[in-house]
Amino acid sequence: MSTAEATTTRGATLPMSEGGTAGQIGRALRTPGGAVFVLVAVLLVCVIAANPNFGEPGSLIRFIGRTAPIAIAAMGQYFVIVSGEFDLSMGSVVTMQVVLAGNFIGQDESRVLPVMVLMVVLGTLVGVVNGLATTLLKVPSFIVTLGTMLALSGLVLYLTGGAATGNPIDSFRQIGRGGIEGVPVLEVIPYPAIILLVLAVAAVWLMRRPFGRTLVAVGDNPQAVHLSGSATWWLKTRAFILSSLAATVAGIILVGYAGVHPSVGQGYEFTAITAVVVGGVVLGGGRGWVLSAAAGAFALELLFTLLNFVGVASTWRDTVQGVIIIVAVAIGARAWQGGRRRRSAEPTTPGAEQRHTESATTTPPDPGTT
């Protein structure tokens, strides 16, 4: 190899580093996971154009607080979907936790902490059951979580008679409806917005750990992960536990917003799945960003807010949600297949094979894989 060729090889710019920070951001925004942030910006402009009062700082921060429960649920659903599974029991877990808080806490403030611990334990138990039934009994997660959803819904309806029961103390409701007041410009920072921020940081940290990277890998190629020595059953079980715990947190927040009623969590699982799909996460696993899932929740809520401002009846919400799932999945699948074709069609030049081999050990994951 000549000196010039050696310099070129050693100085070759890795594909993800080409163009500097601006180039990386541009390429990320062209992926399904990055495009959702552009969608959020476009929808926000449209909503403000329809109702200028929505653009005030106080209105925006309150919107973030209202959207926090579904964004948290979407991040929980992300862990399951990116591993190649589904969790249809989220809505029932939300309902169970809301009813539990309403009836067990009551007006006794000393019960707040013990009941919250009980809620976390039950949420973890539901996740363990879903995970073990899916991974060890080999029952499809769609069936397992559907059964869990029906079992929990039936139990809640039996215990409540289908009517609102329980009235937790105001100090517990403040977790969902309260906030830090007296903040300049914003006036108040809702507690749900703070909880969302903390959980988002924790989720990003977790996805950058070996657990997160292996979870994405098991969604893409479970056989390869199994052959590498990783316990795929434990990875997926932990994903189901995280999903149930996210539903638990959403339930705690919703007690403050929506009160105690057996219908509080109804349809929450489908809204969370729609948000994850809008966020560019591939159904079937192996591709997607956790923050894109949360951004998908904001895009969804902004779209529904826009439809409300332009006078579209709320009864169209489910129809719009169904169309969004079909369109988003179709676009995401075509983008992913297009990316695979482009990579396979890259021309082979002298020395390219060697460079690809060297890059394969050092190149960071493609956008949308963690």
Side-chain angles (χ1 to χ4, degrees):
M1 179 181 293
S2 67
T3 304
E5 290 172 338
T7 302
T8 302
T9 301
R10 288 195 299 270
T13 304
L14 294 176
M16 283 297 297
S17 303
E18 291 177 349
T21 303
Q24 294 178 42
I25 293 175
R27 281 191 292 276
L29 292 179
R30 289 197 295 270
T31 66
V36 69
F37 294 97
V38 178
L39 179 62
V40 168
V42 171
L43 285 171
L44 181 60
V45 171
C46 293
V47 171
I48 293 175
N51 183 358
N53 291 332
F54 191 86
E56 296 178 359
S59 297
L60 287 176
I61 194 65
R62 282 190 287 274
F63 169 76
I64 294 174
R66 289 195 304 273
T67 310
I70 187 60
I72 292 170
M75 288 194 293
Q77 187 72 242
Y78 162 84
F79 289 108
V80 177
I81 289 181
V82 84
S83 70
E85 307 293 346
F86 281 99
D87 186 1
L88 298 181
S89 66
M90 290 194 85
S92 295
V93 174
V94 169
T95 302
M96 177 188 72
Q97 305 290 21
V98 167
V99 172
L100 189 70
N103 289 275
F104 279 36
I105 294 178
Q107 296 302 306
D108 188 351
E109 190 162 3
S110 64
R111 296 182 179 178
V112 171
L113 187 58
V115 172
M116 289 182 69
V117 172
L118 177 62
M119 295 166 73
V120 171
V121 171
L122 289 178
T124 304
L125 181 62
V126 172
V128 169
V129 171
N130 286 338
L132 295 183
T134 300
T135 56
L136 298 186
L137 300 181
K138 305 299 182 185
V139 180
S141 58
F142 178 84
I143 302 299
V144 170
T145 55
L146 178 63
T148 307
M149 178 185 75
L150 295 175
L152 292 178
S153 298
L155 179 62
V156 169
L157 288 176
Y158 172 76
L159 294 176
T160 62
T165 59
N167 182 27
I169 193 169
D170 283 345
S171 60
F172 182 75
R173 288 178 178 270
Q174 284 301 309
I175 298 175
R177 66 171 59 166
I180 301 175
E181 299 182 353
V183 178
V185 182
L186 298 177
E187 300 176 0
V188 61
I189 300 179
Y191 291 137
I194 299 173
I195 296 172
L196 172 63
L197 178 62
V198 172
L199 293 182
V201 172
V204 171
W205 175 81
L206 193 59
M207 291 309 297
R208 290 180 177 275
R209 303 293 297 167
F211 163 74
R213 296 183 183 279
T214 314
L215 191 68
V216 174
V218 79
D220 188 39
N221 193 336
Q223 186 65 20
V225 174
H226 175 71
L227 293 175
S228 71
S230 298
T232 56
W233 70 272
W234 180 227
L235 280 168
K236 291 192 176 186
T237 298
R238 279 184 284 175
F240 279 106
I241 293 174
L242 290 172
S243 177
S244 291
L245 290 178
T248 299
V249 175
I252 292 173
I253 294 174
L254 286 173
V255 172
Y257 269 113
V260 179
H261 195 277
S263 64
V264 168
Q266 190 173 9
Y268 232 69
E269 61 281 345
F270 297 114
T271 305
I273 291 173
T274 306
V276 173
V277 170
V278 171
V281 181
V282 175
L283 290 179
R287 295 289 187 279
W289 291 335
V290 64
L291 289 185
S292 297
F298 282 96
L300 203 59
E301 290 302 312
L302 281 170
L303 176 61
F304 291 142
T305 302
L306 178 62
L307 293 178
N308 182 46
F309 284 160
V310 298
V312 176
S314 60
T315 50
W316 283 99
R317 181 175 178 131
D318 289 345
T319 303
V320 172
Q321 199 165 301
V323 172
I324 287 173
I325 289 180
I326 296 172
V327 173
V329 170
I331 293 175
R334 290 179 66 85
W336 183 61
Q337 291 170 358
R340 287 175 62 90
R341 281 196 296 269
R342 282 195 299 273
R343 284 193 292 272
S344 62
E346 287 179 351
T348 302
T349 56
E353 183 177 352
Q354 181 181 352
R355 289 196 295 272
H356 286 172
T357 303
E358 294 172 351
S359 298
T361 61
T362 56
T363 302
D366 290 342
T369 59
T370 61

